[in-house]
Amino acid sequence: MNFENLVFKQEGNIGILSINRPKALNALNTQVLKELDEAIDIIEKNDEVHIVVLTGEGRAFVAGADIAEMKSMGSKEAREFAKNGLEVFRKIELMEKPVIAAVNGFALGGGCELSMCCDIRLASDKAKFGQPETGLGIIPGFAGTQRLSRLVGMGRAKELIFTADMIDADEAYRIGLVNKVVPQDDLIEEAIKLAKNILSKGQLAVRFAKNAINRGIETDIETGMAIERDLFGLCFTTEDQKEGMGAFLEKRKPNYKLR
Ligand code: CAA
């Protein structure tokens, strides 16, 4: 993978994708969004990568959408720009493979929104979160008004968005925006440790669970339960189910094959 604003590394079955535009604190412009879209397609098709860690180079995860690019936009262009971001983030959210955000610094505006389309958020103790858009005379445009309230509840989402205040990693943990806070120097190692834990389980099952949780949260509970029932049934068509249950009964470690 060869991109101007992204770095991709692979460690075993773990893909580590970094936003690499540190001079602008990894701000998301049209080019970065386009590269991210292409990179996600490549990673999703890569059979060697089973899980993704998404992070940022330098002192930011992502400090937001690019204000310099947005400043002169008219309404039509702004809608188009938002559409691009919304589509890429939705693609990340709907990837079959799990995605862990390793939030290494500022996660503001589009950066907070990017972390929220990932499945799990690990934050370094140096990370800062916020939706500063109202301070710029706009509202979040990459689904911040939608995903933040789903993650932390409407009251906290409204407070964060109306005030445009930044919060530190401990506060983000307290309100349920991040799963865990770890020392800055250990962030990637901790993300890899978590990824390896997930990788030791049946990956088809993990993917089905992701699908059931994502689709279930967007519908009523009866429909959600029907989705779960169907995917539960689907698990029993896989070799991984036979292997997982067989290994338990034979008192050995399972050897999953993603089949
Ligand atoms: N867009 C464009 N450039 C940005 C940027 C952004 N979102 N964030 C930072 N930068 C640039 C700065 O302009 C600066 O560039 P120069 O060196 O060329 O001047 C460089 O990154 C370093 O930034 P600072 O000098 O400002 O660094 P700092 O340590 O003093 O402050 C910060 C760090 C608090 C994160 C500050 O940069 C900041 O407030 N950034 C903007 C955050 C923001 O408002 N994000 C929301 C954007 S709107 C959005 O995201 C809409 C949406 O939902 C789609």
Side-chain angles (χ1 to χ4, degrees), residues 23-25 27 59 63-68 70 81 106 108-110 113 131-133 136 138-142 166:
K23 279 191 183 143
L25 300 185
R59 64 192 177 98
D66 191 311
I67 300 170
M70 285 186 294
F81 184 63
F106 294 111
L108 302 174
E113 291 165 309
Q131 294 288 162
E133 288 88 348
L136 297 165
I138 60 170
I139 67 167
F142 296 162
M166 240 193 267

